[in-house]
């Protein structure tokens, strides 16, 4: 009987909230810049999930278009962010986020 | 059946997310990220956003995670980080409070408004497939934003190349000696 339940958009939104929370905690706790970056990706994915859930609920395709743009901008953001991390790490190997207080490189 | 898919994919998402945060080695974090991204792609399929599921697998799980792994290997930062050291004394409790607070706040809002939010028509009621609807919206209403993303990509690629290029040492006066 319980297998006949169909997940609706509320379930997806709750899952997205939990995923966003995990990403936020990781961003605050971890000190490795790369892992912090991955946590940002987690939060972006949580928002994407809720966008698609709302698109299905409202019957409006614009929500899925927004997800498309989020993915595009996330790809560009990863390219720039990893470039910054590479050029920082090249000068200071093993730097954590605490060591990067000043932007002098 | 749909419930089963939801439960399994949600398990993938949450296990992967916890893995990203809790793993000591950045390579393992990246693999946890792959698990999460695949779980989200499964959810997209379940919600009949087929194009986005394909893009999710290709762009996120393919390109972005490979880029992460590439940078990890390139920099040699794949040494395990000692997670028992806590640099700022109350950082972790505060982070957990913020995280749990966010989840409770958003979750409460979602649950309280679950019946009051308007419910629209079926997405594919017009008979068009998901990708056709998406393309029509993207290339008519959002075409300016679509064109601007190409500018964004050019800027991002050019900026990254310029930023990470190794500075060429200026050889002092070698040319003049040769001539």
């Amino acid at each position: 009987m319980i297998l006949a339940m169909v997940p609706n958009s509320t379930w997806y939104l709750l899952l997205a909230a939990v995923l966003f929370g995990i990403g936020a905690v990781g961003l605050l706790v971890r000190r490795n810049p790369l892992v912090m970056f991955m946590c940002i990706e987690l939060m972006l994915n949580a928002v994407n999930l809720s966008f698609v859930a709302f698109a299905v609920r409202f019957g409006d395709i614009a929500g899925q278009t927004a997800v498309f743009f989020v993915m595009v901008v996330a790809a560009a953001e990863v390219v720039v962010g990893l470039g910054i991390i590479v050029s920082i790490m090249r000068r200071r190997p093993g730097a954590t986020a605490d060591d990067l207080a000043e932007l002098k490189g | 059946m749909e419930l089963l898919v939801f439960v399994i994919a949600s398990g993938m998402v949450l296990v992967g997310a916890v893995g990203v945060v809790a793993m000591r080695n950045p390579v393992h974090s990246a693999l946890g990220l792959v698990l999460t991204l695949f779980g989200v792609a499964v959810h997209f399929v379940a919600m009949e956003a087929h194009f986005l599921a394909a893009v999710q697998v290709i762009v996120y799980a393919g390109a972005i995670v490979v880029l992460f792994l590439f940078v990890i290997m390139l920099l040699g930062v794949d040494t395990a980080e000692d997670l028992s050291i806590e640099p700022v004394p109350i950082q972790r409790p505060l982070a957990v409070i913020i995280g749990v607070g966010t989840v409770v706040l958003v979750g409460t809002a979602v649950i309280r408004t679950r019946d009051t939010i308007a419910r629209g028509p079926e997405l594919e009621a017009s008979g068009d497939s998901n990708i056709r609807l998406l393309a029509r919206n993207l290339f008519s209403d959002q075409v300016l934003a679509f064109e601007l993303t190409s500018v964004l990509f050019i800027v991002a690629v050019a900026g990254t190349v310029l930023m990470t290029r190794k500075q060429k040492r200026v050889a002092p006066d070698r040319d003049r000696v040769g001539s």
Side-chain angles (χ1 to χ4, degrees):
Chain A
M1 189 203 94
I2 197 165
L3 275 179
M5 287 175 73
V6 177
N8 57 23
S9 60
T10 305
W11 301 23
Y12 289 105
L13 292 176
L14 286 176
L15 176 69
V18 174
L19 186 58
F20 190 90
I22 294 174
V25 170
L27 185 68
L28 292 171
V29 165
R30 295 302 296 260
R31 287 180 301 143
N32 188 331
L34 278 165
V35 179
M36 291 170 73
F37 227 71
M38 291 181 207
C39 292
I40 294 177
E41 298 299 319
L42 285 184
M43 293 161 77
L44 283 172
N45 267 280
V47 175
N48 280 353
L49 198 58
S50 61
F51 257 128
V52 175
F54 275 126
V56 171
R57 176 151 188 160
F58 292 144
D60 188 351
I61 199 71
Q64 297 191 11
T65 314
V67 174
F68 179 76
F69 282 120
V70 170
M71 284 178 178
V72 168
V73 175
E77 171 236 340
V78 165
V79 169
V80 175
L82 288 180
I84 292 174
I85 291 177
V86 165
S87 54
I88 288 175
M89 289 290 186
R90 200 180 272 153
R91 299 201 184 186
R92 307 177 172 184
T96 64
D98 295 335
D99 305 333
L100 305 178
E102 76 268 27
L103 265 181
K104 293 199 305 204
Chain B
M1 191 61 204
E2 280 152 340
L3 184 79
L4 203 63
V5 171
F6 181 85
V7 170
I8 292 174
S10 300
M12 284 167 69
V13 167
L14 294 179
V15 168
V18 171
V20 171
V21 176
M23 288 288 180
R24 300 172 59 222
N25 191 326
V27 178
H28 297 166
S29 292
L31 296 180
L33 188 64
V34 173
L35 192 63
T36 300
L37 297 176
F38 266 112
V40 173
V42 172
H43 280 310
F44 284 173
V45 173
M47 286 190 279
E48 302 192 339
H50 300 123
F51 177 71
L52 289 179
V55 173
Q56 173 91 4
V57 172
I58 294 171
V59 173
Y60 261 117
I64 290 182
V65 175
V66 169
L67 207 60
F68 269 116
L69 287 172
F70 190 75
V71 169
I72 291 170
M73 302 296 176
L74 187 73
L75 294 176
V77 293
D78 53 339
T79 48
E81 179 186 349
D82 189 4
L83 287 182
S84 60
I85 300 174
E86 199 177 0
V88 186
I90 54 169
Q91 186 185 11
R92 288 196 184 153
L94 278 183
V96 171
I97 288 172
I98 290 174
V100 172
T102 309
V103 171
V104 169
L105 201 65
V106 177
T108 314
V110 166
I111 288 175
R112 286 192 59 157
T113 59
R114 70 184 184 280
D115 294 324
T116 52
I117 296 180
R119 199 176 284 276
E122 288 278 315
L123 256 185
E124 297 177 6
S126 59
D128 283 345
S129 60
N130 168 258
I131 188 165
R132 193 182 290 269
L133 288 169
L134 192 60
R136 194 167 287 141
N137 185 256
L138 187 61
F139 291 115
S140 61
D141 294 346
Q142 316 286 346
V143 70
L144 178 65
F146 183 77
E147 297 294 337
L148 285 179
T149 52
S150 63
V151 178
L152 175 74
F153 268 116
I154 300 260
V155 171
V157 170
T160 308
V161 169
L162 208 65
M163 190 167 55
T164 56
R165 195 183 48 173
K166 279 211 174 104
Q167 296 285 326
K168 210 179 274 179
R169 282 273 162 75
V170 181
D173 292 345
R174 194 189 293 158
D175 289 13
R176 213 174 296 157
V177 172
S179 61

